[in-house]
Amino acid sequence: MTGPQHKALGALISAHAAGSIVGAALYAAVGPRFSRRWVYLTAWLVAAVPQLALAQLPPLPFMIGLAVLMGLGSGPLNPIIYTVMQERVPLEMRARVFGMTRALAWMAMPLGPMIGGYAAEATGLRGAYTVIAVTYLLVALAQFLVREMKAMDLPPDSALRAARGWGT
């Protein structure tokens, strides 16, 4: 089945993917010059804030620009997350931790579209997307309050000692 809506969805997904690739490449090029924690938190905000505008269902060209911006923000997130995991998870536990993390992520992937579909049917597309956008923004802002996020910038051994309560 094809049509204008399918083409628009494909354009939005492609725009987000292109932004993510560019965001990850930019992080690889200049990210190490900055605090990992602040790049991570800023990336969350750059990925979250445009969703509020996207929830208003603007014209397609504007939506594509927002998707690129959200992709730029989300680009550095996985590289930072997996770098921190590599540094912090002891070698003997990596298979279990990485396997469980990946399994939970893959298990959750089909739930998002399913829940989103039911929400859009119940509240309309704008209502469902507004709830998603506000939730995403609240999750992004909540991370600023998590003290343990400061350990992202510590050398791996110091972060492990701090996490175990051994001091730094």
Side-chain angles (χ1 to χ4, degrees), residues 24 48 64 87 127 138 167:
I64 289 172
E87 291 176 351
L138 290 174

Side-chain angles (χ1 to χ4, degrees), residues 27 35-41 77 80-81 83-84 87-88 143 147-156 159:
Y27 176 67
S35 158
R36 188 185 290 166
R37 176 179 176 249
W38 283 104
V39 170
Y40 181 79
L41 295 173
L77 294 176
I80 291 173
I81 290 167
T83 298
V84 170
E87 291 176 351
R88 305 306 192 256
Q143 294 182 73
R147 276 185 339 165
E148 290 78 9
M149 296 292 281
K150 292 179 183 175
M152 291 176 94
D153 290 323
L154 294 175

Side-chain angles (χ1 to χ4, degrees), residues 62-112:
F62 192 66
M63 291 175 88
I64 289 172
L66 291 170
V68 170
L69 185 59
M70 292 182 327
L72 284 169
S74 65
L77 294 176
N78 280 330
I80 291 173
I81 290 167
Y82 284 104
T83 298
V84 170
M85 286 175 64
Q86 287 281 342
E87 291 176 351
R88 305 306 192 256
V89 176
L91 185 61
E92 65 275 5
M93 294 187 67
R94 284 187 187 161
R96 285 175 278 187
V97 171
F98 292 1
M100 181 59 76
T101 302
R102 189 59 80 158
L104 290 172
W106 280 91
M107 182 184 71
M109 278 188 227
L111 294 177

